[in-house]
């Protein structure tokens, strides 16, 4: 019997990789897409050009903040699995848009859970909630594991904590198979260009091609546990295949500073990053998170999951992808310094 899944946030980095994975496994995949005046399907166009190309992938217009239409959709398509990856996911932006961040990231998750609870009256359904290492904030212990208390330092992190606890509550109170994946930073060539790793690789490759002079960053001494998003979506799938709902940290167990990541990227291009990077106070967060380091031993023990890609290889993948973009930009001649 063919399984079906609904992915919110399917047009994002994680959603696109997860859609690929599920299609490879024979799933019928449904994706929730917010309507916009421009096309937002760039990350999934290679698997969704039209319904005749891949009849097992169907996109639906909707919004996480519209609980009624979300419930209607879930009851109509009756997915076996729901992956809630949709959110306002930019930490720095959440300080400027705290209410919207709570609506989309926090209340949106509650809407997903409630839709799944309604579906559970008809059939079994499993829900994956995309939780975040940002929930640990100003950390109480190093490394952080499933039992580490949360201490959020941003509106985004607060919204994710709300969503985490609602997921646990629906599991305990309603018997819903609802699991949290507490994912530490995971990057890729599909990462949005306003996120620091992609901002670095895009700028470095443009500098290499003579398209850009400087890169402006905030706190380059912040330490993060960086993995490859393509590895991490496999963990999402494994979490919903586990025999019982639970919460799992997904991380590499190694930490690097932004400064170190700069070194990996610029050295791959034979450049000295210190000649091109300047610190701009505008990019500092009002409340900074200095150190995130995950302990994924539970995931390895119970799910058999381990990261396959280290941070140096991740930097190489991103640089080579963005170097191609910079070369095309140069040849097109439509760039701005």
């Amino acid at each position: 019997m063919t399984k079906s899944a609904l992915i919110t946030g399917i047009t994002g980095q994680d959603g696109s990789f997860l859609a690929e994975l599920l299609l490879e496994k024979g799933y019928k995949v449904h994706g929730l897409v917010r309507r916009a005046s421009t096309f937002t399907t760039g990350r999934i166009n290679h698997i969704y050009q039209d319904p005749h190309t891949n009849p097992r992938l169907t996109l639906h217009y909707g919004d996480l903040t519209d609980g009624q239409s979300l419930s209607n959709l879930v009851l109509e398509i009756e997915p076996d699995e729901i992956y809630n990856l949709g959110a306002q996911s930019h930490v720095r932006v959440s300080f400027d848009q705290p209410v919207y961040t709570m609506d989309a990231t926090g209340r949106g998750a509650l809407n997903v859970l409630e839709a799944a609870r309604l579906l559970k009256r008809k059939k079994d359904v499993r829900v994956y909630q995309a939780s975040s290492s940002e929930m640990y904030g100003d950390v109480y212990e190093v490394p952080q594991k499933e039992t580490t208390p949360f201490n959020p330092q941003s509106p985004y992190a607060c919204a994710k904590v709300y969503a985490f606890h609602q997921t646990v509550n629906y599991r305990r109170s309603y018997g819903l198979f609802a699991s949290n994946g507490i994912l530490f930073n995971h990057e890729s060539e599909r990462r949005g260009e306003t996120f620091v790793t992609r901002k670095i690789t895009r700028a470095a490759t443009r500098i290499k091609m003579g398209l850009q002079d400087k890169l402006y960053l905030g706190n380059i001494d912040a330490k993060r546990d960086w993995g490859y998003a393509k590895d991490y979506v496999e963990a999402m799938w494994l979490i919903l295949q586990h025999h019982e709902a639970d919460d799992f940290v997904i991380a590499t167990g190694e930490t690097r500073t932004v400064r170190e990541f700069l070194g990996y990227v610029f050295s791959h291009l034979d450049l000295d990053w210190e000649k091109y990077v300047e610190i701009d106070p505008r990019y500092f967060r009002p409340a900074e998170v200095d150190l995130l380091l995950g302990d994924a031993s539970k995931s390895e023990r119970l799910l058999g999951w381990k990261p396959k890609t280290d941070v140096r290889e991740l930097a190489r993948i991103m640089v080579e992808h963005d170097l191609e973009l910079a070369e095309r930009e140069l040849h097109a001649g439509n760039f701005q310094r």
Side-chain angles (χ1 to χ4, degrees):
M1 180 178 172
T2 301
K3 278 189 175 183
S4 63
L6 171 63
I7 303 173
T8 72
I10 193 171
T11 59
Q13 169 189 257
D14 293 5
S16 64
F17 281 124
L18 180 61
E20 287 177 346
L21 177 70
L22 296 182
L23 288 169
E24 288 170 4
K25 292 182 178 297
Y27 278 66
K28 168 70 175 175
V29 176
H30 297 267
L32 189 70
V33 180
R34 281 182 300 169
R35 191 265 169 197
S37 59
T38 57
F39 291 110
T40 60
T41 57
R43 293 184 179 95
I44 58 172
N45 278 343
H46 62 292
I47 54 174
Y48 180 80
Q49 294 295 340
D50 61 68
H52 303 291
T53 303
N54 199 332
R56 289 189 292 110
L57 176 59
T58 306
L59 301 183
H60 307 266
Y61 284 121
D63 195 299
L64 285 173
T65 62
D66 185 351
Q68 184 62 59
S69 66
L70 183 60
S71 291
N72 291 343
L73 176 63
V74 168
L75 292 173
E76 176 189 342
I77 65 178
E78 298 188 2
D80 299 297
E81 299 170 1
I82 301 175
Y83 296 85
N84 183 33
L85 312 186
Q88 189 301 99
S89 60
H90 198 286
V91 176
R92 181 62 189 83
V93 170
S94 77
F95 287 100
D96 300 323
Q97 296 185 309
V99 176
Y100 172 69
T101 298
M102 183 61 197
D103 282 346
T105 306
R107 191 161 59 86
L110 179 59
N111 289 337
V112 170
L113 291 164
E114 183 60 14
R117 185 174 76 90
L118 295 175
L119 177 59
K120 185 177 180 291
R121 298 171 183 173
K122 300 173 63 177
K123 60 168 289 185
D124 289 333
V125 59
R126 298 187 171 197
V127 179
Y128 171 86
Q129 168 59 27
S131 291
S132 169
S133 60
E134 287 286 335
M135 300 187 304
Y136 295 117
D138 188 8
V139 299
Y140 287 116
E141 64 179 354
V142 179
Q144 295 88 54
K145 49 186 180 290
E146 290 82 3
T147 55
T148 303
F150 300 137
N151 188 19
Q153 300 293 300
S154 67
Y156 167 77
C158 289
K160 282 292 188 181
V161 169
Y162 173 89
F164 175 94
H165 286 301
Q166 288 288 7
T167 302
V168 173
N169 182 56
Y170 268 69
R171 183 167 74 222
R172 293 174 177 171
S173 300
Y174 301 116
L176 184 67
F177 193 109
S179 297
N180 286 289
I182 309 173
L183 272 59
F184 281 64
N185 291 69
H186 47 291
E187 318 297 316
S188 76
E189 66 275 25
R190 299 181 191 175
R191 191 58 144 149
E193 294 183 16
T194 60
F195 291 84
V196 66
T197 52
R198 188 77 194 287
K199 182 178 179 180
I200 289 170
T201 58
R202 278 293 276 145
T205 52
R206 295 185 86 249
I207 288 169
K208 180 69 174 180
M209 300 303 297
L211 302 174
Q212 184 170 331
D213 298 320
K214 292 288 184 181
L215 166 61
Y216 297 93
L217 295 173
N219 180 15
I220 65 173
D221 293 314
K223 296 178 180 179
R224 293 292 184 271
D225 184 329
W226 276 308
Y228 187 28
K230 194 170 184 178
D231 296 344
Y232 282 39
V233 298
E234 183 179 1
M236 297 177 188
W237 178 76
L238 288 170
I239 287 171
L240 289 197
Q241 311 318 305
H242 193 52
H243 65 274
E244 64 179 351
D246 203 348
D247 308 315
F248 296 90
V249 164
I250 304 299
T252 68
E254 297 182 359
T255 187
R256 298 287 189 276
T257 63
V258 176
R259 185 188 299 269
E260 288 177 285
F261 190 80
L262 280 166
Y264 301 149
V265 169
F266 276 79
S267 64
H268 193 73
L269 297 165
D270 296 318
L271 296 173
D272 179 359
W273 69 266
E274 294 189 36
K275 294 180 180 179
Y276 304 100
V277 175
E278 293 187 8
I279 305 303
D280 188 332
R282 292 178 300 170
Y283 296 114
F284 281 83
R285 299 179 186 179
E288 188 58 73
V289 173
D290 294 318
L291 170 62
L292 293 173
L293 176 63
D295 176 359
S297 56
K298 177 180 175 181
S299 296
E300 181 177 356
R301 185 175 72 254
L302 297 182
L303 305 177
W305 180 86
K306 292 175 66 175
K308 302 171 184 174
T309 311
D310 66 24
V311 67
R312 292 176 185 271
E313 175 65 8
L314 170 63
R316 184 195 64 77
I317 291 169
M318 295 177 67
V319 166
E320 291 187 357
H321 174 272
D322 285 345
L323 191 58
E324 288 186 19
L325 289 184
E327 288 172 347
R328 291 205 298 268
E329 192 178 356
L330 179 65
H331 293 148
N334 58 353
F335 61 89
Q336 291 183 340
R337 281 183 175 271

